[in-house]
Amino acid sequence: FDDVLAARTVAKLAWFFRPVAHSCALVVVLALCCCVWLVPLRNYAEMVNAACLVRAARNAGGNLVLAAFLTREMILNDGFSRMDKSTMYTRLDRARNGTITAINAMRKGGFIADESNTVQTGADSLGGMEAYNRIMYSAGCPWRANTSDCSLDTWEKAESEGLYKLVMHQVQALSFMLTRYGPKGGDADYSGTGSFATVTVDPAKVTILTDDIDARFILEDQASHAWAGLTLVAREFNAEQNGIMARMHQEIQTFLSLFIVAVRAPPTQWSASVIWPTSTNRICCPRGWAFRLSGLNNSAARLGLLPCPKSHLWDSPPLPASTPSLAQIA
């Protein structure tokens, strides 16, 4: 009798009380737990790559500013830098090569040994980088305050052809400086001097800074134009990284919201078998349990409970005071 009644009771349960519904809800909850971390994680490589692009752009800009300083000091060789000409030549050559390496890594991807920075995907291969492409390759100088005036006093059109060509012009001019003003023997050596009192100015070398158009081009505004352009590119990479972070955050919020809904939506299954209060305070207790009926009345029907067959209803016996109420067990 108990088995038949239990089977009939389970068959009449609402769908959200059935074990299969709770099993499906559990699977959904576990799946959402995984998705909260795994789905946003697919953007991790892009986020790291954007940070590496920022470092590459700043590395190139820093090398150009350093090259401008070393160019001036190598030409003058007056002891102000406290380096001999061979040391300045070596460092200038390294700054030039570092600029080329950083620019190529930023554009095409690659490894920058100076700072152990690996760019997996170059900016030229990324989608949605219209602003970057406009700065690097389109005519104009968007990094200037007055974008309509891209003229220079030396290489007049060097800055009007886009940032990439401007940087390559700077690199070419640095090569000219290394060839013309590198160490030739007999140069003064100030590397061991501990005081600025020995700075000596050679007027003939000072005139080179104004007479040599390539030197003037490198020293014009101390490479600030190229630096400003690469800073603008770095901002675009930062904006791309912030966009990736925003997408990841939005996906996490979406999955967490679904997780909360999935956890709260399925109603808790009651531990008792189906019961039904009647006007005569009779209960159906197929497994021989008895519960105190405290003010539930027909509200139980709204929870999905179904009435027992009339033949299985009987008067409720007196219950001890310690017997838990139905509301407590639910």
Side-chain angles (χ1 to χ4, degrees), residues 210-247:
T210 57
D211 294 342
D212 191 316
I213 190 172
D214 299 326
R216 286 170 52 200
F217 171 62
I218 294 173
L219 298 175
E220 186 169 348
D221 294 325
Q222 299 299 312
S224 61
H225 297 300
W227 167 261
L230 289 167
T231 300
L232 187 59
V233 168
R235 289 177 188 168
E236 293 299 326
F237 294 151
N238 275 324
E240 178 68 14
Q241 186 180 35
N242 292 337
I244 295 171
M245 289 288 292
R247 290 200 303 271

Side-chain angles (χ1 to χ4, degrees), residues 22-96:
H22 289 266
S23 299
C24 293
L26 179 61
V27 170
V28 171
V29 169
L30 293 177
L32 288 173
C33 287
C34 297
C35 290
V36 163
W37 301 109
L38 295 180
V39 173
L41 193 62
R42 78 187 192 281
N43 296 317
Y44 177 75
E46 296 180 28
M47 183 178 64
V48 173
N49 189 71
C52 293
L53 287 171
V54 172
R55 292 179 61 189
R58 291 176 176 171
N59 181 280
N63 276 321
L64 286 176
V65 173
L66 176 61
F69 167 76
L70 291 173
T71 296
R72 179 184 181 280
E73 295 304 312
M74 188 178 69
I75 293 174
L76 295 178
N77 192 30
D78 56 5
F80 180 76
S81 65
R82 292 300 178 267
M83 292 183 287
D84 59 36
K85 206 165 190 177
S86 296
T87 301
M88 288 186 285
Y89 177 90
T90 301
R91 295 189 178 183
L92 179 58
D93 183 57
R94 187 168 62 185
R96 180 198 61 173

Side-chain angles (χ1 to χ4, degrees), residues 242-263:
N242 292 337
I244 295 171
M245 289 288 292
R247 290 200 303 271
M248 294 176 67
H249 187 236
Q250 182 60 44
E251 289 171 353
I252 291 174
Q253 284 185 323
T254 301
F255 283 114
L256 285 177
S257 300
L258 293 174
F259 176 81
I260 294 173
V261 171
V263 169

